[in-house]
Amino acid sequence: MAIDRLCDLITRKDRCFIPAERMREYLLDGNEAALADLAAFRDSWNDMPCDEYMADGGRYRSRRHATLRALPSSHVVYVEPHQPHYQSLSYNNLNGGIARHYQPIEPEILRGPTMTAILRFCCSIFGRLSPYAHWHIEAHQFRIDAKLAAEGKPTPEGVHRDGVNFVLMLMVNRKNVVNGCTQIYDLDKRKIDSFTLTELFDAAIVNDHHVLHGVTPIVQLDVEQAASRDVLVVTFRKK
């Protein structure tokens, strides 16, 4: 699926699922070194602090965060000074309404070839869809743990919008869990699509203005083994 066809699909459907093999092709895009630090990129999810802003009291989510920007139709992304993440309560009725200060994504990961390839891909897609936009970009590393048969909630706020223009959700690692189904809804909260990200580089893109999304809780399979779901979420919002 060429980039132009992918953009056409997002324009018509407001969402798409990209299987891992195809997503890897997009990221490499003729550059064999584009994923040179992939092992370190994946391993960075093992060193994330617990999310201390969970209004439900949960201790099942770890995360890091970064803020970036890009000029119209550019594939060059600039790292902004580290700043808090904010969502209004209208978009996140559980954890919104306050500035949330997360630890930054490690510089060598944020500026490394794998993250650069992912952000370049996002610029390529979203820059075609909105060629004159100046972009405010946020990247979020999430780990959701499931322990002792308790559910881990990838989207504890429920079905929601993020308050941006476009969202990329990219699977990084998944072990010893079931469920975690990504569900897409129209603005009347009628389910219109669903798929489960299972393999490294399985990806989903949504037009956040036109659809809502949520992910079903994950459940630990073997209680003797660690269970987690690692995802990178990248959001693009027009300045």
Side-chain angles (χ1 to χ4, degrees):
M1 187 184 300
I3 291 291
D4 287 341
R5 288 182 58 200
L6 188 58
C7 290
D8 178 67
L9 178 62
I10 297 168
T11 299
R12 290 185 292 107
K13 299 290 190 177
D14 295 316
R15 80 277 184 186
C16 71
F17 167 75
I18 308 172
E21 183 177 355
R22 184 56 51 86
M23 188 65 186
R24 181 183 287 268
E25 292 175 0
Y26 285 136
L27 296 178
L28 289 170
D29 192 25
N31 178 7
E32 293 183 359
L35 304 177
D37 70 336
L38 180 58
F41 176 82
R42 298 185 80 189
D43 187 61
S44 68
W45 265 257
N46 295 321
D47 182 29
M48 295 202 300
C50 183
D51 188 337
E52 301 290 345
Y53 292 92
M54 300 297 291
D56 64 357
R59 305 289 294 176
Y60 52 83
R61 181 159 81 177
S62 304
R63 70 190 292 179
R64 289 183 182 269
H65 169 252
T67 304
L68 312 100
R69 63 182 172 88
L71 298 173
S73 299
S74 173
H75 291 176
V76 179
V77 173
Y78 300 92
V79 178
E80 294 276 83
H82 193 57
Q83 54 196 267
H85 173 57
Y86 180 83
Q87 289 175 300
S88 69
L89 285 169
S90 60
Y91 288 113
N92 188 330
N93 59 15
L94 178 66
N95 298 320
I98 60 171
R100 288 179 277 168
H101 295 262
Y102 297 112
Q103 290 297 311
I105 296 175
E106 294 291 349
E108 63 272 19
I109 300 301
L110 186 61
R111 299 177 185 272
T114 299
M115 186 73 83
T116 297
I118 294 166
L119 294 171
R120 183 180 178 86
F121 167 79
C122 290
C123 286
S124 180
I125 296 292
F126 306 144
R128 279 174 167 84
L129 294 173
S130 294
Y132 305 111
H134 292 254
W135 295 111
H136 173 87
I137 304 167
E138 296 189 42
H140 305 261
Q141 291 180 299
F142 288 104
R143 167 167 285 181
I144 304 298
D145 290 309
K147 298 177 181 178
L148 299 177
E151 293 181 334
K153 302 173 186 176
T155 54
E157 66 271 40
V159 176
H160 67 286
R161 293 164 57 204
D162 286 337
V164 297
N165 292 92
F166 299 105
V167 181
L168 169 77
M169 296 164 274
L170 183 77
M171 175 56 62
V172 174
N173 201 11
R174 177 185 166 107
K175 57 186 178 183
N176 192 34
V177 298
V178 293
N179 299 336
C181 176
T182 300
Q183 300 180 327
I184 311 297
Y185 297 78
D186 65 19
L187 296 182
D188 294 319
K189 292 193 174 182
R190 296 174 296 204
K191 189 165 74 171
I192 56 176
D193 208 348
S194 65
F195 34 77
T196 302
L197 308 182
T198 58
E199 303 297 324
L200 170 63
F201 294 138
D202 275 350
I205 293 174
V206 297
N207 182 329
D208 194 59
H209 274 191
H210 295 166
V211 296
L212 302 96
H213 64 278
V215 181
T216 62
I218 58 171
V219 177
Q220 186 178 29
L221 277 172
D222 181 353
V223 297
E224 301 298 325
Q225 303 292 327
S228 58
R229 179 182 187 267
D230 296 347
V231 171
L232 176 72
V233 174
V234 181
T235 64
F236 272 54
R237 176 174 58 81
K238 296 177 185 178
K239 287 190 176 181

